[in-house]
Amino acid sequence: MNAASFADPIGRVGFNIADKFVAVFASPGSLMSLWSLLLALAIAAAYTGRNRWRTRRRVSWKVIRRALFPRALCKSASSRVDVWFLLLNTGCTTLLFGWAMVSMHFFSNAAIDGLATAFGAMPATSLSVFWSSIILTIVVFLAYDLGYWFDHYTSHAIPFFWEFHKVHHTAELLSPLTNARLHPFDTVKFANILALFMGIGEGIVHYLLGNSPQEFKFFDQNAIFLAFMYLLVHLQHTHLWIAFTGFWGHVIVSPAHH
């Protein structure tokens, strides 16, 4: 093998890794996009400033900056480990474990075929495409939430899965980057469970409505999930005590609860 033939596949791998990093940090629909991180930062700053103002304490950018980026967090070994896990799960894990992922559409088609075989074809619904898409968007998001719960429950309840998931719980200090502190096996398990739950949810809706609606998406993400991601996901891993009370405290996992 000459140098050129060896360098070509190496170059393609390098390009794929670089492309993945760009997609993760620059795409507005990515979980770790700079846009969603900046919005989380703005929400945290507003929350901190509001709390200080309500208690008649001094509010300034310097005070807010210190509250959001305390020295202990910025200099901690735990935060540095979060960065390394982010790099690992963005680059190497994607390339090495892509073959282990089953697509959501595979499970969706399997659900449609299974229901049609068991109960026969359903007549097309009289609902408009708009309302059918609304229903699908809601169902897929609820399926995501159920899949998330199931993945988390099994990760804690089953000793074999806990051995991988406990990596996430080794963080000594929380920050949005702790989202990426995952064992590669945990990442693969989570992705496949989401594909299963969301695919079955999508398949059931398509079967029942019979008109193959499409989710409302922004930046290739379910619209409800995208709003959830931008407004809450990053703040669930934070050192700030942000608590939900009343009805919402029973529905949404707040940063304080986590």
Side-chain angles (χ1 to χ4, degrees), residues 2-242:
N2 57 40
S5 60
F6 177 77
D8 186 55
I10 297 299
R12 287 199 298 268
V13 170
F15 177 81
N16 288 337
I17 293 177
D19 188 58
K20 181 62 179 178
F21 272 89
V22 171
V24 165
F25 297 115
S27 172
S30 168
L31 180 63
M32 297 302 295
S33 75
L34 294 176
W35 315 107
S36 58
L37 287 168
L38 287 173
L39 180 58
L41 182 64
I43 293 172
Y47 182 86
T48 302
R50 172 179 172 273
N51 279 355
R52 295 188 65 86
W53 178 79
R54 290 181 63 183
T55 55
R56 300 178 182 275
R57 289 179 292 173
R58 178 169 168 264
V59 179
S60 69
W61 286 115
K62 186 176 182 179
V63 170
I64 292 176
R65 177 178 60 80
R66 286 179 176 175
L68 298 183
F69 302 101
R71 184 173 301 177
L73 177 66
C74 295
K75 293 189 174 182
S76 72
S78 180
S79 295
R80 291 195 294 272
V81 172
D82 285 343
V83 173
W84 283 112
F85 268 103
L86 175 61
L87 298 176
L88 170 69
N89 283 303
T90 300
C92 298
T93 302
T94 302
L95 294 176
L96 295 176
F97 291 93
W99 57 269
M101 308 291 186
V102 182
S103 75
M104 169 182 166
H105 296 298
F106 171 83
F107 291 114
S108 177
N109 292 332
I112 294 171
D113 292 342
L115 289 169
T117 300
F119 304 106
M122 290 287 289
T125 179
S126 59
L127 287 174
S128 67
V129 174
F130 174 80
W131 285 110
S132 296
S133 295
I134 288 285
I135 292 172
L136 178 63
T137 303
I138 294 172
V139 168
V140 170
F141 175 73
L142 293 177
Y144 158 82
D145 199 45
L146 182 60
Y148 184 98
W149 171 85
F150 181 80
D151 173 76
H152 201 226
Y153 174 78
T154 56
S155 292
H156 282 261
I158 299 175
F160 175 77
F161 291 144
W162 169 249
E163 289 303 311
F164 299 100
H165 183 67
K166 68 182 181 182
V167 170
H168 179 66
H169 290 271
T170 58
E172 297 175 355
L173 295 171
L174 293 180
S175 77
L177 297 185
T178 309
N179 271 322
R181 185 187 282 249
L182 297 169
H183 189 283
F185 178 87
D186 216 11
T187 302
V188 172
K189 171 176 172 281
F190 180 58
N192 282 292
I193 286 176
L194 287 188
L196 173 65
F197 278 77
M198 295 168 69
I200 290 176
E202 180 185 73
I204 290 173
V205 172
H206 280 180
Y207 171 76
L208 292 177
L209 298 184
N211 60 355
S212 298
Q214 299 296 314
E215 290 176 74
F216 285 114
K217 289 186 173 185
F218 296 100
F219 307 112
D220 203 35
Q221 289 283 11
N222 178 288
I224 302 175
F225 173 75
L226 189 71
F228 171 74
M229 179 180 76
Y230 268 70
L231 296 175
L232 191 62
V233 166
H234 294 309
L235 295 175
Q236 286 180 334
H237 292 89
T238 179
H239 60 286
L240 298 174
W241 187 267
I242 302 175

